[in-house]
Amino acid sequence: MPQPAEGGPTLPQERRLVTEIPGPESSARLARKKSFVADGVGNVLPVFIEAAGGGVLVDVDGNSLIDLGSGIAVVSVGNAAPRVVRRVQEQVAAFTHTCFMVTPYDGYVDVCEQLAELTPGDHAKKSALFNSGAEAVENAVKIARVATGRDAVAVFDHAYHGRTNLTMAMTAKNMPYKNGFGPFAGEVYRAPMSYPFRDGLSGPDAAALAIDVLEKQVGADNLACLAIEPILGEGGFVVPADGFLPALRQWTADKGIVFIADEIQSGFCRTGDWFACDHEGVVPDLVTTAKGIAGGMPLAGVTGRADLMDAVHVGGLGGTYGGNPVACAGALGSIEEMREHNLVSRARAIGDLMRGRLEALQADHPVIGDIRGRGAMMAIELCEPGTTRPDAARAAAVNAACHKAGVVTLTCGTWGNVFRFLPPLSIGDDLLNEGFDVVAEAFAQTA
Ligand SMILES: *Cc1c(COP(=O)(O)O)cnc(C)c1O
């Protein structure tokens, strides 16, 4: 692992268990949480965290856990990354908020300049900043509707775009994201997603199928935009077959439909490119970003063709906190970490290591039906051996065994049978290998 020029993780980079997981201190706090926090807000692993950095999370009982989740792909640069901390501290001491719509400041414009440079394509680009991924997706749709004068929104099977009313409509999975929360926003239409493990289709054939559904059931002339995750996030880390995204991109360009790449989970070095679209040279009209952008500070963006972004009337985009100066400082620190440590190439190396470990695991455990992903965004799908029948029970058992052994793992997928691995890019090889030793042990224990 490249050594940080400035600071670096100060916590011992080790897995250390001094109590059972969760320990007594965490359990006491969990009881308190139960009294004051709404039950709807769940926890994957109920240990209360006191410090984190590099590749570890340290809990209130003194356990040090290996982090293979990055707070869901957020702290890609590591928790409390030195440049994020320094810039946030400087900004928070200077001023905390003016509201960019009232009186502007440099940090917001600096982040938009970085987004113009880093997102796919070298055309003129502009951005607007928001607080959460869902808010960015909502605003991308608003922009597309104004720019095209059309209403309809195309989305895909297994998509996840957020939990607000419009983005719930765009998200595919009912439980837990939508159940009972309707009625949902209208004019959202779903097309089949390329899913090589399940549909066996080539990229162009899968795209033809999706395009046919949209043309027959919606009509290209009614579509304002098509929103797609270039690699599915919550939906199971499905990498569409080669040629799927380029074919959709071409079709949307031909029909005047705004192509929105939702790179909220896949963006900012995660896949071994700055953005997942870069892998096939796909240049979207609009890109939504959040999660990995700001090292843990809440920030999101919509970036895209200047002519589209400028279609909206003055005052039509904004929000009280969008592009908050402290969050922007976090983003500038985070982008600096990515450049300084060449985290694009670090994500590729982590991906190679993880793929090797997962292939070895698959040889011993035929329940692993598929290994997929790109860079440091890798997953395995668990199915009854030799079939595509989901084995969510095994995924839950393996996940619980990992947690007990001090490794933070996450599941995902429409059937809950996918294990996803999203380590911080600041994790060292030794710790990462130890994490996969624990995963392998969890598979053996639950066989
Ligand atoms: C997490 C996520 C969102 C929603 O982001 P929030 O910040 O939770 O609102 C939207 N799209 C994708 C692809 C995501 O992974």
Side-chain angles (χ1 to χ4, degrees):
M1 172 192 171
Q3 278 307 306
E6 176 190 348
T10 52
L11 295 169
Q13 295 297 297
E14 63 181 13
R15 180 171 65 107
R16 183 182 68 240
L17 297 183
V18 296
T19 69
E20 58 182 5
I21 302 290
E25 285 295 332
S26 280
S27 296
R29 285 163 166 85
L30 198 62
R32 186 168 155 267
K33 179 214 161 197
K34 181 89 186 136
S35 303
F36 296 111
V37 179
D39 286 350
V41 186
N43 303 114
V44 169
L45 171 51
V47 293
F48 278 67
I49 299 305
E50 201 162 67
V56 299
L57 298 160
V58 177
D59 75 11
V60 289
D61 288 286
N63 300 298
S64 175
L65 293 84
I66 299 177
D67 184 9
L68 298 185
S70 302
I72 316 188
V74 170
V75 285
S76 296
V77 295
N79 247 299
R83 290 172 180 80
V84 174
V85 171
R86 180 170 51 74
R87 284 182 179 260
V88 164
Q89 283 175 338
E90 283 168 11
Q91 180 57 49
V92 84
F95 64 96
T96 49
H97 173 83
T98 65
C99 186
F100 191 76
M101 300 180 303
V102 177
T103 49
Y105 40 86
D106 284 336
Y108 190 115
V109 184
D110 291 341
V111 171
C112 295
E113 185 179 32
Q114 292 293 318
L115 283 166
E117 190 181 318
L118 296 171
T119 53
D122 47 19
H123 51 289
K125 284 175 241 165
K126 292 191 175 186
S127 295
L129 303 181
F130 305 96
N131 303 296
S132 71
E135 211 187 337
V137 172
E138 291 241 356
N139 278 278
V141 172
K142 283 161 64 173
I143 293 162
R145 283 177 168 162
V146 167
T148 59
R150 304 172 183 175
D151 294 332
V153 176
V155 294
F156 288 83
D157 285 334
H158 313 289
Y160 183 85
H161 295 292
R163 296 171 180 266
T164 57
N165 189 259
L166 174 60
T167 57
M168 276 193 293
M170 295 170 70
T171 290
K173 191 173 175 176
N174 176 51
M175 203 58 164
Y177 307 122
K178 303 168 77 163
N179 193 50
F181 297 144
F184 303 111
E187 289 305 310
V188 175
Y189 300 92
R190 198 168 303 284
M193 175 73 184
S194 168
Y195 197 145
F197 176 60
R198 289 179 179 276
D199 67 18
L201 295 175
S202 72
D205 285 352
L209 196 66
I211 289 167
D212 191 55
V213 165
L214 294 171
E215 287 192 335
K216 296 298 176 292
Q217 299 182 17
V218 192
D221 291 348
N222 295 314
L223 279 166
C225 58
L226 175 151
I228 188 164
E229 300 159 83
I231 296 179
L232 289 176
E234 309 301 296
F237 281 27
V238 176
V239 182
D242 278 349
F244 181 73
L245 294 172
L248 291 177
R249 167 68 278 199
Q250 188 57 52
W251 176 70
T252 54
D254 293 345
K255 302 293 181 182
I257 300 163
V258 176
F259 186 101
I260 302 172
D262 182 347
E263 292 254 16
I264 288 168
Q265 190 152 164
S266 56
F268 282 102
C269 303
R270 180 49 61 185
T271 63
D273 277 302
W274 277 96
F275 292 91
C277 280
D278 292 333
H279 181 76
E280 285 189 278
V282 168
V283 178
D285 295 311
L286 300 178
V287 180
T288 55
T289 53
K291 294 202 166 93
I293 191 176
M297 302 301 290
L299 188 74
V302 180
T303 302
R305 275 169 45 197
D307 60 314
L308 292 177
M309 295 298 294
D310 286 343
V312 178
H313 46 280
V314 173
L317 299 175
T320 305
Y321 296 112
N324 167 274
V326 183
C328 286
L332 295 170
S334 171
I335 292 167
E336 203 183 358
E337 292 275 345
M338 292 176 196
R339 291 186 194 277
E340 289 289 321
H341 295 163
N342 192 0
L343 293 186
V344 161
S345 75
R346 180 62 190 148
R348 289 186 188 187
I350 288 175
D352 290 344
L353 189 158
M354 293 200 293
R355 190 175 280 280
R357 294 299 306 256
L358 293 172
E359 281 169 358
L361 198 59
Q362 186 182 38
D364 293 336
H365 299 282
V367 70
I368 300 175
D370 192 25
I371 302 172
R372 59 183 180 239
R374 201 166 270 148
M377 184 172 185
M378 296 285 293
I380 48 180
E381 178 158 359
L382 307 194
C383 292
E384 291 171 29
T387 75
T388 56
R389 283 196 294 277
D391 191 346
R394 184 68 182 281
V398 175
N399 205 31
C402 289
H403 294 173
K404 253 173 89 97
V407 177
V408 182
T409 47
L410 301 172
T411 57
C412 65
T414 295
W415 298 277
N417 64 326
V418 179
F419 251 92
R420 58 173 150 176
F421 302 102
L422 290 164
L425 306 179
S426 55
I427 196 169
D429 284 353
D430 290 353
L431 204 59
L432 189 58
N433 268 311
E434 188 177 341
F436 279 90
D437 293 343
V438 169
V439 172
E441 179 59 26
F443 269 91
Q445 275 173 19
T446 56

